[in-house]
Amino acid sequence: MPTRRAILAAPALLPALLPPLARAQSWPGTQPVTVVMPYSPGGSTDVLGRILVQGLAERLGGTFVMQHMPGATTTLGGRHVARARPDGMTLLLGTVGTFTLAPFALRNIGYDPEADFAHLTMLAETGFVLVVHPRTPTLPALLEAARARPGALSYATWGVGSSSHVMMLDFQARTGVQMLHVPFNGSPPGLTETMAGRVDCMMSVVAPARPQVEAARLAALLVPGGTRFEALPAVPTVEELGPPLAGLRSAGWFSLAAPAGTPQAVQDRLAEAVAAAFQTPQAVALLAQNGFIPTPAGPGPLRARIAEELPLHRDLMRRAGIVPEG
């Protein structure tokens, strides 16, 4: 066993004597690690947060806590983490809104979505489904009605520049139809108006739409992406439907990010621990129950997706005449 004097005289020996976490740096240390949640508490994103903090604590040791910081289309939380110390003690449960929608919905979000973050890993996608009032129960019927009366049919979303809005802009661009946008303050009123027939369709999150589809109060036409949902097994994917809708994918996703400059060793350990936490049978079941799709993708694919979606969402919003606010 080396003496204290020998260790002090030969600092190169220290890494061999310390456990892996300590070799990376003294992290997570004695203070709680904060996972900033840019949403109000009580929403479905808390499911992701719970899997995160419990999984990280179990695999890395220390204490991980959620801190809800809603506001400004998730950019309040984004700014906080972008400006935090890059020491692995402050993390962000980021979202498509934070990184590829808000830059075109707000004038100044206060950070660079690519340069100001260490993008660690994708967590999950939100399951979406296009639902319609039963009077147009098929995709051909919806498109035929929309083409016959451009701008007459309407679709609900939970706000200008939201993921549901962007997906419907993409849907219209691919199919060549024009529909009237009717934004609501949240998803439930949009679904209610669609069921009542005052709005024709909505790109909804799967979880709240599923019981209405099962009760035949809504008809489900398609799901973005290439994987059918266990909750709605009869609904085809856009990849099955083929052109022009092939390539339409979920605009709702979540990821884990840290401030730019976070040591690579810390980034690697976090990404590894998160990947393991989201692959447990309990986590997979909980995600499915809440309409999430596990989407394991490391920093490379995640950064590529952000780089791809930034110009896509910019162009879609410009074509729709969306002017940044604030």
Side-chain angles (χ1 to χ4, degrees):
M1 175 70 69
T3 65
R4 181 174 181 274
R5 179 176 297 178
I7 291 175
L8 292 173
L13 291 176
L14 281 172
L17 300 175
L18 297 176
L21 280 177
R23 287 205 297 271
Q25 69 176 56
S26 55
W27 175 84
T30 58
Q31 299 299 315
V33 178
T34 300
V35 178
V36 173
M37 309 283 293
Y39 293 97
S40 299
S44 60
T45 50
D46 279 3
V47 172
L48 300 176
R50 287 196 297 273
I51 295 173
L52 261 177
V53 297
Q54 293 172 9
L56 290 172
E58 289 171 2
R59 288 160 180 82
L60 300 179
T63 303
F64 291 78
V65 297
M66 291 189 290
Q67 180 181 353
H68 291 90
M69 197 176 292
T73 318
T74 76
T75 62
L76 186 63
R79 284 197 298 271
H80 178 80
V81 175
R83 297 169 185 172
R85 240 174 166 183
D87 56 5
M89 301 298 290
T90 306
L91 309 173
L92 174 68
L93 193 153
T95 171
V96 60
T98 316
F99 300 123
T100 73
L101 294 178
F104 312 112
L106 302 175
R107 290 191 185 280
N108 181 17
I109 59 175
Y111 55 82
D112 184 310
E114 295 181 287
D116 289 343
F117 296 93
H119 292 286
L120 305 178
T121 182
M122 186 80 80
L123 301 176
E125 288 186 349
T126 305
F128 281 92
V129 58
L130 178 61
V131 293
V132 297
H133 187 271
R135 65 172 170 252
T136 51
T138 67
L139 182 60
L142 177 69
L143 294 177
E144 181 180 354
R147 288 173 180 141
R149 297 182 296 149
L153 269 64
S154 58
Y155 65 94
T157 75
W158 51 86
V160 174
S162 64
S163 53
S164 60
H165 187 198
V166 168
M167 294 177 74
M168 284 304 296
L169 292 175
D170 198 2
F171 173 84
Q172 292 173 90
R174 291 173 183 272
T175 56
V177 301
Q178 297 177 29
M179 304 174 74
L180 176 66
H181 178 211
V182 184
F184 291 91
N185 184 23
S187 177
L191 283 171
T192 298
E193 292 300 290
T194 305
M195 286 187 286
R198 290 183 285 270
V199 177
D200 293 287
C201 63
M202 180 178 186
M203 190 69 79
S204 171
V205 174
V206 167
R210 174 187 176 183
Q212 313 308 331
V213 171
E214 292 175 341
R217 288 187 284 265
L218 291 171
L221 303 188
L222 60 84
V223 296
T227 305
R228 292 197 183 201
F229 294 120
E230 187 177 325
L232 297 169
V235 183
T237 71
V238 294
E239 299 305 322
E240 293 175 87
L241 295 171
L245 286 169
L248 177 67
R249 64 183 180 184
S250 171
W253 52 261
F254 301 88
S255 64
L256 184 65
T262 299
Q264 190 61 50
V266 172
Q267 294 186 44
D268 293 343
R269 290 302 301 275
L270 283 166
E272 179 184 343
V274 169
F278 274 73
Q279 290 172 8
T280 67
Q282 296 87 347
V284 170
L286 190 58
L287 291 169
Q289 291 165 14
N290 288 273
F292 292 111
I293 307 163
T295 313
L302 174 54
R303 282 190 171 276
R305 181 161 185 174
I306 291 170
E308 175 190 348
E309 289 188 0
L310 279 166
L312 171 65
H313 292 164
R314 178 197 62 212
D315 292 346
L316 286 171
M317 289 193 185
R318 283 180 179 174
R319 268 186 266 159
I322 298 173
V323 178
E325 302 174 352

